[in-house]
């Protein structure tokens, strides 16, 4: 089938590459000419395991092309995907300008019947607005051309996006059109052979499904961070608690890892947008508001521990920071806990020596180079040079098994602040280091 994806960001590029991989004829369209030219040369603008090879192979095979020509993209596709960003507006609601601009562009150029697919994460009711925007342009042209709008939200985890796209848990199709359902079944047939993964529903339910999924996962994380903060105060170890409750199949082990707060391009934005949507409809979503509040506070948790350990005076200190990305296997620093921590440390007069396996270029883009208070180091070991203590904020596998005896010799203040609970406190302390984790029962002094 012929598919066009508008947007070559995270969702559009992964989806386009995976559709091409199973034999579809794909064009990805973007208004960023430099990005399109780079993609034609094989330069993939994001880090995602397996994506670069997938893009290069399918581009060379002629199944995946890149263009700035929107009219050509509309003409090419039987199925037109809207996969552009929906960043948070000033009030936290999703900004739909890019989505609706693509819809109007489709309305300007469509000349045969098409299925238009909302792949972007959008508030409930956006499909109706997309339909209206296209119809308005068709009416202005005096054209009577049939089209159908489908909600088909993505469920891609950064770091596992290619695998998630190639082997999806479920494929949500939101439409009342039997014809559109059949088109989407044909498009996704290569991903649906092992067992039935398509879940068909109305468009508004599909739109809410995406937000509900991310809000549920964010809620589990904030709940566990709330439990971790209680555990610190009562002398319990949240890692033991996690194993105890995770063994209950009604709860499970996924997304119950306490830490320094969630980040990325999805959870913060989507929880806020759903909470604002509820408010716009006269309903105060109290749980969602609490999830946001807990997460916001949790991002400062490590800083609180650092201040307490050093007696409140951090000026002139130097810390090694392992991790910058919001999670492993990505270079994404959007809403990352590291950014909150860096701001707090700099305000306190601290110098930071940081290393991340993939997010160094993104950190340079965000913070520049040549700062006296921020050095990006070529390795985790070099980040330790001259450091008083080590802070771990991203649980990259490369950080899981350091030689603690060596760390004890290199860290002047002999302390580790483990924002992801990847170390055994007893092992760290046996090497002569002070250990601070999240909810490990020894991180908060009792009044």
């Amino acid at each position: 089938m012929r598919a066009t994806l508008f947007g070559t960001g995270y969702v559009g590029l992964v989806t386009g590459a995976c559709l091409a991989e199973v034999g579809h004829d794909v064009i990805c369209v973007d208004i960023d000419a430099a990005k399109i030219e780079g993609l034609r040369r094989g330069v993939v603008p994001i880090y995602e395991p397996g994506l670069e090879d997938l893009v290069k192979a399918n581009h060379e095979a002629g199944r995946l092309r890149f263009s700035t020509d929107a009219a050509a993209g509309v003409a090419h596709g039987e199925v037109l995907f809207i996969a552009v960003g929906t960043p948070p507006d000033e009030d936290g609601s999703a900004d739909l300008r890019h989505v609706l601009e693509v819809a109007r562009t489709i309305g300007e150029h469509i000349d045969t019947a098409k299925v238009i697919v909302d792949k972007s994460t959008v508030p409930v009711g956006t499909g109706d607005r997309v339909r209206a925007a296209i119809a308005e342009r068709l009416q202005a042209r005096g054209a009577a051309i049939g089209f159908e709008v489908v909600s088909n939200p993505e469920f891609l985890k950064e770091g596992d996006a290619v695998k998630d796209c190639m082997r999806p848990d479920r494929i949500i199709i939101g439409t009342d059109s039997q014809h559109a359902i059949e088109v989407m079944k044909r498009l996704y047939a290569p991903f649906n052979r092992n067992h039935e993964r398509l879940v068909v529903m109305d468009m508004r339910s599909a739109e809410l499904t995406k937000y509900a999924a991310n809000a549920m996962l964010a809620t589990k994380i904030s709940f566990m961070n709330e439990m971790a903060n209680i555990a610190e105060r009562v002398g319990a170890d949240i890692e033991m608690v996690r194993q105890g409750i995770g063994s209950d199949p009604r709860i499970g082990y996924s997304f119950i890892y306490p830490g320094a707060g969630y980040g990325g391009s999805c959870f913060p934005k989507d929880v806020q947008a759903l909470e604002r949507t509820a408010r716009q409809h006269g309903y105060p979503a109290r749980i969602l508001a609490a999830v946001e509040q807990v997460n916001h506070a949790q991002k400062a948790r490590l800083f609180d521990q650092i201040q307490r350990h050093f007696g409140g005076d951090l000026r002139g200190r130097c810390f090694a920071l392992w991790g910058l990305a919001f999670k492993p296997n990505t270079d994404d620093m959007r809403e990352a806990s590291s950014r909150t921590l860096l701001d707090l440390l700099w305000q306190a007069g601290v110098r930071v020596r940081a290393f991340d396996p993939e997010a160094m270029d993104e950190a340079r883009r965000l913070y520049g180079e040549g700062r006296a208070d921020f050095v990006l180091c070529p390795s985790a070991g070099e980040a330790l040079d001259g450091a008083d203590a080590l802070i771990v904020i991203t649980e990259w596998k490369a950080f899981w098994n350091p030689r603690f005896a060596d760390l004890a010799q290199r860290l002047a203040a002999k302390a580790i602040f483990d924002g992801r609970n990847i170390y055994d406190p007893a092992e760290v302390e046996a090497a002569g280091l002070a250990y601070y984790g999240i909810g490990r029962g020894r991180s908060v002094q009792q009044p």
Side-chain angles (χ1 to χ4, degrees), residues 401-432:
N401 291 290
R403 290 176 57 87
F404 294 114
D406 291 346
L407 293 182
Q409 291 182 347
R410 298 187 64 180
L411 297 172
K414 299 187 185 307
I416 291 180
F417 299 89
D418 179 3
R420 301 297 173 185
N421 288 357
I422 60 176
Y423 301 138
D424 178 355
E427 184 180 1
V428 175
E429 291 173 347

Side-chain angles (χ1 to χ4, degrees), residues 150-170:
V150 174
S151 174
N152 174 220
E154 54 84 15
F155 295 95
L156 306 178
K157 300 187 296 292
E158 291 196 40
D160 285 303
V162 171
K163 182 178 73 173
D164 289 344
C165 195
M166 295 300 294
R167 296 184 177 181
D169 296 320
R170 74 284 207 198

Side-chain angles (χ1 to χ4, degrees), residues 12 16 42 56 69 85 90 123-124 133 139 153 162 186 197 258 308 317-318 337 421 442 446:
K56 288 180 178 178
D69 189 339
E90 291 183 4
V124 177
Q139 185 177 18
V162 171
R186 195 153 51 92
R197 293 181 171 90
R308 184 178 301 109
R317 295 282 183 181
C318 177
S337 300
N421 288 357
R442 294 176 287 180
Q446 296 298 317

Side-chain angles (χ1 to χ4, degrees), residues 425-444:
E427 184 180 1
V428 175
E429 291 173 347
L433 292 154
Y435 176 84
Y436 293 83
I438 303 296
R440 304 310 297 267
R442 294 176 287 180
S443 301
V444 173

